[in-house]
Amino acid sequence: MAAMGTEEILVEEAREIHGVEKAKTLQGGAQLNVALNELDGSALCLSGGGIRSAMFSLGVVQALASHPRSPTGNPVASAEASLLARFNYLSTVSGGGYIGSFISAWLLREHRRLGNGWPAVWSKLKGRVSPEEESKEISWLRTYSNYLTPRLGLASADLWAAVAIFVRNLVLNWLVIVPPLCAVLLALKLFALWVGQLSIAGTKEDFYILGACGVLTLSLALIYTNWSRPTHARCRAGQGLFIALDLGPAVASALLFCLTLATTYGSGLADGLFHNGTPSWSGVLMFSAAGFFLFAVCWLASWPRLTATEFMVDWLAWSISGLIYGVLMALGICLYFGLVARGLWFEQPKEILLLVCGPPWAFLSQLLGEMVFVGLSSYQAGSDSDREWLGRSAGWYIAVALSWLTVMFLVFLGSALADQLYGQITTWVAGGGAAVVTAFLGKSSSTGAGQPTATKSWVSKDLILGIAAVVVAISLIVGLSGLLDQLVLTRPLLESVRAMRRGESADFSSSVVPICLALFASLAVGLLASKFVNINRFSLHALYRNRIIRAFLGASNPTRSDTRNKFTDFDETDNVRVASLWPGGAGSDAAMANQQPEPAVGPANWRPFHVVNMALNVVSTSKLAWQERKAESFSVSPLHSGSSYLGYRRSSEYGDSNGISLGTAVAISGAAASPNMGYHSSPAVAFLMTMLNVRLGWWLGNPGPAGESGSAYGKDGPPTAIKPLVCEMFGQTTDQRSYVYLSDGGHFENLGLYEMVRRRCRFIVAVDAGCDKDFAFEDLGNAVRKISIDLGVKITFRGLDNILFRAEKDKQTSTEPPFHAIGRIHYRDADGGGEDGLILYVKPAFHSLQISNVGVRNYAVAHPEFPHESTGDQWFSESQLESYRALGFEITDSILVRAFEGKNFGAGTPLSAIFASIAATVPD
């Protein structure tokens, strides 16, 4: 089944929400946005910010439920007349999703129980059941204010259960990552032993076979280079073919030439030509002539389309570059024998010197030869394009040379430093210390990518993270290499190579057999772990999700006391499917048949259309303009799940055979700590967080065409773990594979505004409860910028400059600092029709002269960072939870009381009049 397009799902949503009759004229095309605008859609957007945002948003929701108040100050008389019931959409991100899911699940269960559950929910939201009794649902939230580990203290079973789960998942993930790494290290060690054996027993036939293979592979690389150069007009292939037919053969030829030199015959021949490292003209002349001839023949084999003059000039310049290549290869051989003869190679076997330094020298010799060609051919017509092509090619050669040199040095020489016990201890302590540093600094809210401005402090922190990650990577390679030597060979690999050179021929077989067995075991363990260790279920996500479900979805579960597991306190019936949140969620057959959905959804039986916002990570994106954002919007609603750039699937069919669950969607939306974090992503952090299994993100099938293979979009994760783990570790997430990596919606846009503007909602309440004690409005600026770029809709605000974190020393001013601003969404300019929209932007702040709640004032005095305490604090006390909830209520209540003063807003009052009244309270 093909993916659904954006226009298709917007039309379907509108018909479900507003009714077929009102939305019957909707159809795709240029006028769709105007038609959506004319439906006067409204949305309540609850931002990210963890438990802080959830509790502040709860207060906002309760205030909206109690308004418009009567002239005597009593809450609104009926559920239908409540301002909260006027919102069509509930758009949530991260922490806002906690309370959004709490409301959605509560409404669903009351609808199932009563047929129309909104009045029952409203009666508990607007006030207490009695002066001494709070609704059990809200009381439940207080019980689980420390939702991750409800019982505090070292003796808490909740704490040790979380520790045990983390350690278990970490070990299982290491079973996926470490065995393949061990297999690579063991394969390199096996190869080094073979090179050592070749230097002892390599025959003349070996010399000729290896040498011929080296010439053939180098010839293939040279022919492809000339065949693909722009001025030769023979090929316009991309990077993949370059790697397969140019870079790959060049690497193979470099290695084969080194093996040729390692053979007994080759070593003796070369040593005779260069006299123990002393240059000889005959040797240099022979190699330079061979290079000239090989480059010349390969140039002719590519048969470029040139004029006679261009033909001769280009051929000669290229042949001269081959001569340079031959000279440099000769000098490299001379240097090799010179170091060996003079004992300047750290007293290590000469085969290791050849293996570590030989291939990089060959890469760079070829590279320098091509540089000479570039200089000689600079006056040729069209050579600019050639220089760009050869420059990009040179970049790949340099990267491979440096990578080879680094890895081989660490594996064969670095591990020698870890041969002894003290070396092992030093290596692992250094790596562990660097890992702790990276884990501490590498939160998305701490890294420079997420900051509005680049300051020296953020640059230095990023530098520390980069250094720490390098230290961990080095410690891992060196430590594992040394440990494998001790476990498999019972001595350092280099000792085995030395023993072979001393004539202990039996040492080759005695070393090869255990390495082969260990290599087989590593591959077997890695393959089995990759197949059976689910990359999603054994991350931190499951621990986090289960506790969110218990705290926020379990609050309204009527059967929980009977069905919960009394040992773990978890209950599978707490969770609900996203598709069940809407009458047409299992599929919009009613809407497609032009029938009114049953039952109709409106203020009398309110049920908001809940959109859970996430970030689809594209850290390795082909869209260069996205190299800052590194993510795209992804949403899950009762009807559809997907991305505008890829397409959408039915939520009842997406992510699971029964459809994606609300708990999973909200946990993904709140997955703040992930290796790939949208515009917060950092290579250093990605590597370390993957290794430490600090992964809250979730892999799901691509909702677009790429996910149709094997119906990936209908599965709850990839069939094997190693590939997605590597993608996370090295920042290679993309939207072009069968599975995509989803994380916190705040990694793309933290307010939930983006998708509501796409739907042309005219009236929006946006709660910005992210941590922003400097009031830089980072999340708002990010949302407005991306909406303008992607959707072509400008949003302007008035009143932002007046919003303050705290009034200076809480002094009375002539104008009291507001808690809100008004935004105008310029739909008319963007769409050429319709009406502009309005945003009521609410921001947590504390001004003691405006907050009457003494409990809030007391908490604020004791905690100077309130109400913008760190998002890292997810363990709220009772006083902390109540202070944020009460602040959200009092701020929203004060805004509405002031706006509605002297007005008589009943159930039928248009939202346009209500929002106009609110807007009038914000000065221009």
Side-chain angles (χ1 to χ4, degrees):
M1 183 176 179
M4 304 172 70
T6 304
E7 290 187 351
E8 184 181 357
I9 69 109
L10 292 180
V11 169
E12 204 169 285
E13 271 186 18
R15 288 176 176 168
E16 289 280 347
I17 294 168
H18 299 283
V20 173
E21 184 62 31
K22 188 175 180 181
K24 65 182 179 180
T25 60
L26 284 180
Q27 56 184 354
Q31 293 302 308
L32 175 60
N33 288 335
V34 175
L36 290 172
N37 177 284
E38 291 173 348
L39 294 174
D40 292 340
S42 56
L44 173 61
C45 299
L46 306 180
S47 80
I51 189 72
R52 178 192 63 247
S53 174
M55 292 305 105
F56 183 84
S57 295
L58 175 60
V60 173
V61 167
Q62 289 179 303
L64 293 171
S66 65
H67 274 273
R69 291 184 180 277
S70 69
T72 59
N74 293 322
V76 65
S78 68
E80 182 178 358
S82 165
L83 182 57
L84 182 60
R86 306 294 297 279
F87 291 101
N88 306 126
Y89 287 96
L90 175 62
S91 179
T92 65
V93 182
S94 191
Y98 300 177
I99 213 65
S101 65
F102 164 74
I103 293 169
S104 290
W106 190 5
L107 280 167
L108 170 65
R109 286 169 174 141
E110 291 297 335
H111 274 288
R112 286 174 173 173
R113 186 172 68 91
L114 301 173
N116 178 14
W118 167 229
V121 172
W122 166 79
S123 66
K124 296 178 180 180
L125 280 176
K126 70 177 178 64
R128 300 172 69 89
V129 176
S130 70
E132 296 184 4
E133 183 183 359
E134 191 173 41
S135 75
K136 65 180 183 64
E137 290 83 6
I138 294 177
S139 179
W140 182 272
L141 298 184
R142 298 189 190 280
T143 301
Y144 286 94
S145 60
N146 296 295
Y147 68 96
L148 292 176
T149 53
R151 292 187 180 275
L152 302 177
L154 289 177
S156 164
D158 290 328
L159 171 64
W160 290 109
V163 170
I165 291 171
F166 173 77
V167 172
R168 178 196 67 195
N169 292 353
L170 179 64
V171 171
L172 289 173
N173 273 266
W174 280 354
L175 285 177
V176 176
I177 297 173
V178 175
L181 178 58
C182 289
V184 172
L185 295 175
L186 289 166
L188 291 174
K189 293 176 185 295
L190 187 63
F191 185 72
L193 285 174
W194 181 65
V195 173
Q197 181 68 9
L198 198 63
S199 68
I200 297 171
T203 64
K204 191 174 184 179
E205 289 75 16
D206 294 330
F207 169 80
Y208 285 119
I209 292 172
L210 291 169
C213 291
V215 170
L216 288 174
T217 50
L218 178 59
S219 298
L220 177 59
L222 295 175
I223 291 171
Y224 181 84
T225 297
N226 283 286
W227 191 53
S228 295
R229 278 169 47 204
T231 56
H232 290 189
R234 303 289 286 179
C235 175
R236 297 182 181 273
Q239 187 166 281
L241 202 58
F242 165 80
I243 293 173
L245 298 182
D246 192 322
L247 184 65
V251 171
S253 70
L255 188 57
L256 287 165
F257 287 149
C258 291
L259 295 177
T260 303
L261 187 61
T263 62
T264 308
Y265 183 80
S267 182
L269 180 64
D271 194 18
L273 285 171
F274 295 102
H275 311 298
N276 289 325
T278 301
S280 67
W281 286 110
S282 59
V284 172
L285 183 61
M286 185 184 73
F287 272 79
S288 60
F292 183 95
F293 177 77
L294 181 61
F295 273 55
V297 170
C298 290
W299 189 96
L300 292 171
S302 68
W303 200 251
R305 298 172 180 174
L306 300 172
T307 65
T309 303
E310 291 172 338
F311 190 99
M312 286 304 300
V313 171
D314 199 84
W315 175 81
L316 183 59
W318 185 255
S319 301
I320 291 173
S321 72
L323 184 147
I324 301 300
Y325 170 78
V327 170
L328 291 172
M329 289 292 284
L331 292 177
I333 295 172
C334 180
L335 180 61
Y336 165 67
F337 283 108
L339 289 172
V340 171
R342 293 167 178 77
L344 299 177
W345 174 235
F346 308 115
E347 300 181 355
Q348 303 299 343
K350 67 176 184 178
E351 295 82 1
I352 302 301
L353 167 63
L354 193 61
L355 193 58
V356 172
C357 299
W361 184 277
F363 304 153
L364 294 177
S365 297
Q366 187 176 341
L367 178 62
L368 289 171
E370 291 182 1
M371 288 181 180
V372 170
F373 167 76
V374 169
L376 294 174
S377 61
S378 61
Y379 286 99
Q380 292 187 56
S383 61
D384 276 346
S385 55
D386 271 4
R387 284 192 289 275
E388 286 292 342
W389 195 97
L390 291 169
R392 193 174 187 86
S393 166
W396 274 100
Y397 275 82
I398 292 172
V400 170
L402 292 177
S403 299
W404 183 288
L405 186 64
T406 301
V407 172
M408 293 299 180
F409 184 88
L410 292 175
V411 171
F412 295 116
L413 299 178
S415 61
L417 303 176
D419 285 341
Q420 305 301 321
L421 179 62
Y422 75 89
Q424 279 285 322
I425 293 174
T426 302
T427 300
W428 293 113
V429 167
V436 170
V437 169
T438 308
F440 178 75
L441 295 178
K443 303 185 293 293
S444 65
S445 59
S446 299
T447 50
Q451 302 306 316
T453 57
T455 63
K456 291 183 178 179
S457 62
W458 297 121
V459 171
S460 63
K461 185 174 290 187
D462 286 342
L463 180 61
I464 293 171
L465 284 169
I467 294 172
V470 170
V471 170
V472 171
I474 290 174
S475 300
L476 183 65
I477 294 174
V478 170
L480 274 180
S481 182
L483 191 61
L484 287 171
D485 282 352
Q486 297 298 328
L487 293 176
V488 178
L489 299 175
T490 68
R491 63 177 176 177
L493 173 75
L494 300 183
E495 285 297 326
S496 296
V497 177
R498 290 191 189 97
M500 290 166 55
R501 292 204 58 78
R502 289 195 298 266
E504 301 173 18
S505 57
D507 197 78
F508 177 71
S509 57
S510 64
S511 298
V512 166
V513 171
I515 287 181
C516 289
L517 291 174
L519 177 60
F520 175 79
S522 297
L523 290 173
V525 171
L527 288 172
L528 288 173
S530 181
K531 182 65 177 177
F532 291 103
V533 175
N534 187 293
I535 187 174
N536 285 334
R537 293 192 177 94
F538 293 103
S539 67
L540 279 182
H541 176 98
L543 183 150
Y544 173 60
R545 179 196 60 198
N546 291 344
R547 283 147 183 80
I548 288 175
I549 292 171
R550 177 177 62 185
F552 296 97
L553 303 186
S556 58
N557 187 352
T559 65
R560 197 174 203 284
S561 59
D562 299 323
T563 56
R564 74 180 180 93
N565 185 295
K566 292 180 175 57
F567 179 65
T568 64
D569 194 34
F570 289 103
D571 187 345
E572 290 187 4
T573 65
D574 286 344
N575 204 359
V576 298
R577 298 289 162 180
V578 175
S580 68
L581 299 180
W582 193 260
S588 56
D589 296 334
M592 297 303 289
N594 287 331
Q595 299 171 3
Q596 185 73 15
E598 295 293 343
V601 177
N605 58 349
W606 180 65
R607 188 185 299 194
F609 192 85
H610 192 171
V611 177
V612 182
N613 296 277
M614 309 168 187
L616 191 162
N617 286 269
V618 286
V619 178
S620 178
T621 178
S622 59
K623 299 179 180 179
L624 300 184
W626 286 10
Q627 291 179 99
E628 179 187 15
R629 63 173 68 182
K630 301 175 185 175
E632 58 191 69
S633 176
F634 191 99
S635 62
V636 171
S637 78
L639 295 182
H640 315 104
S641 298
S643 162
S644 177
Y645 293 98
L646 299 176
Y648 296 84
R649 301 287 174 177
R650 300 278 181 207
S651 292
S652 58
E653 303 170 354
Y654 183 72
D656 192 289
S657 57
N658 297 313
I660 188 168
S661 73
L662 182 59
T664 295
V666 171
I668 295 171
S669 179
S674 300
N676 290 211
M677 301 182 284
Y679 66 93
H680 297 285
S681 298
S682 159
V685 175
F687 174 78
L688 258 298
M689 293 184 85
T690 305
M691 287 303 303
L692 296 175
N693 198 32
V694 182
R695 301 185 300 109
L696 290 177
W698 194 257
W699 288 88
L700 282 177
N702 191 320
E708 293 175 4
S709 175
S711 298
Y713 64 85
K715 298 177 180 176
D716 63 354
T720 57
I722 185 63
K723 184 177 179 180
L725 269 179
V726 170
C727 288
E728 283 188 63
M729 181 180 292
F730 296 105
Q732 294 300 304
T733 51
T734 177
D735 59 3
Q736 300 302 306
R737 300 191 183 102
S738 298
Y739 291 87
V740 293
Y741 187 64
L742 306 174
S743 67
D744 193 316
H747 296 158
F748 177 78
E749 191 270 295
N750 202 38
L751 299 185
L753 275 175
Y754 185 94
E755 290 297 332
M756 296 302 99
V757 173
R758 186 195 300 283
R759 288 156 174 78
R760 292 307 190 261
C761 290
R762 283 196 58 209
F763 307 106
I764 298 175
V765 173
V767 179
D768 182 358
C771 185
D772 184 19
K773 62 184 178 182
D774 295 327
F775 276 48
F777 301 101
E778 178 194 348
D779 289 336
L780 181 61
N782 174 61
V784 168
R785 182 167 51 249
K786 285 176 178 170
I787 289 169
S788 175
I789 293 171
D790 297 352
L791 307 179
V793 179
K794 304 291 184 184
I795 303 177
T796 56
F797 282 87
R798 56 187 173 90
L800 286 179
D801 292 344
N802 298 322
I803 304 178
L804 302 174
F805 177 26
R806 294 193 179 201
E808 185 179 356
K809 297 181 180 178
D810 295 326
K811 292 180 180 178
Q812 182 71 48
T813 59
S814 58
T815 303
E816 294 178 340
F819 299 102
H820 66 293
I822 289 293
R824 179 167 292 276
I825 315 172
H826 296 275
Y827 289 133
R828 282 182 293 187
D829 292 341
D831 302 330
E835 297 293 332
D836 286 347
L838 289 174
I839 298 174
L840 168 59
Y841 174 77
V842 181
K843 184 86 166 174
F846 176 76
H847 313 302
S848 63
L849 295 175
Q850 294 174 256
I851 302 299
S852 61
N853 189 305
V854 177
V856 175
R857 294 176 69 168
N858 168 259
Y859 185 86
V861 170
H863 300 84
E865 292 189 344
F866 173 83
H868 289 276
E869 293 169 293
S870 170
T871 307
D873 179 9
Q874 294 293 294
W875 289 265
F876 268 31
S877 63
E878 182 183 44
S879 61
Q880 192 175 13
L881 181 148
E882 176 57 19
S883 295
Y884 278 96
R885 187 209 63 81
L887 181 68
F889 180 88
E890 189 157 341
I891 284 177
T892 308
D893 185 66
S894 66
I895 293 170
L896 297 177
V897 165
R898 184 180 175 189
F900 296 165
E901 188 175 5
K903 308 290 195 310
N904 183 20
F905 289 147
T909 304
L911 276 179
S912 56
I914 294 174
F915 269 74
S917 182
I918 297 172
T921 65
V922 178
D924 292 329

